[in-house]
Amino acid sequence: TTLTNRIEIVEDNNDDVDSDADSSYDDDDLNDGIEDDDEDEVSVVVLGINVEKMASATDICPGEEVTYTLTVRFQDNICVDGAELRNISVEDFNDTGTFSIMLMPGDANFLPASDPNGDGILQCGEEFMWEYTRVITETETNTAMDMADLFFVNPDTGDEFEVSPVMFMDEVTVNADNSNCAS
């Protein structure tokens, strides 16, 4: 999402020779060919986090193994220089309340190749991935909910600040049914 913020001077002491503060937002209030300087706008990209949860199979025979893969990235792969997702965690749980796991960069289920510099911070162009396998005995829906802190590090000065916490969810249903068993 891109948000546009506009600003305009609405009152002055009548010494602004190239624009009329009482006119609407415009590029040339006086139609004199001189671009006004009493207004400006900036567009800001709204950043977020996204988790994608996939299962190796969604129709199985009860008792079969299913491998789940969870991928965390910037939402819609939209990123700006200096944006970072820190303190990432993914809670993965099923609808029956019999399974829950917390996943974090560097844990046993984390795929280290998904963090090329090994810092546990998701930067532009990176995707963090986790993988684990479970035996599924009954149909269940698993939900992954990722959370992180969105930071901005100014590429010019190195100054950094936390923008906001972010989160997203995805789910996958695995149908465990005897009709999926070999006979």
Side-chain angles (χ1 to χ4, degrees), residues 56-180:
S56 60
T58 55
D59 292 303
I60 64 164
C61 177
E64 287 185 346
E65 287 187 343
V66 174
T67 299
Y68 292 97
T69 304
L70 294 92
T71 305
V72 171
R73 64 181 68 90
F74 277 93
Q75 187 172 356
D76 301 323
N77 285 320
I78 296 173
C79 190
V80 296
D81 287 341
E84 297 181 346
L85 293 172
R86 299 181 184 180
N87 305 315
I88 295 172
S89 64
V90 182
E91 183 180 4
D92 198 20
F93 52 93
N94 67 9
D95 58 345
T96 64
T98 59
F99 173 76
S100 177
I101 187 172
M102 183 63 74
L103 304 166
M104 300 175 76
D107 68 20
N109 299 301
F110 187 66
L111 302 179
S114 66
D115 186 10
N117 58 11
D119 64 359
I121 297 172
L122 188 79
Q123 285 108 4
C124 295
E126 292 182 339
E127 295 181 336
F128 283 3
M129 297 178 75
W130 292 261
E131 195 171 84
Y132 66 90
T133 301
R134 292 185 50 231
V135 173
I136 305 297
T137 58
E138 62 183 344
T139 296
E140 66 179 34
T141 299
N142 284 60
T143 302
M145 180 173 61
D146 60 0
M147 297 158 275
D149 296 323
L150 176 61
F151 274 76
F152 180 74
V153 179
N154 186 315
D156 297 325
T157 65
D159 294 337
E160 62 182 56
F161 60 92
E162 183 175 353
V163 179
S164 65
V166 290
M167 66 178 284
F168 194 79
M169 295 173 66
D170 194 20
E171 66 181 29
V172 65
T173 299
V174 174
N175 299 305
D177 190 293
N178 287 328
S179 66
N180 296 323

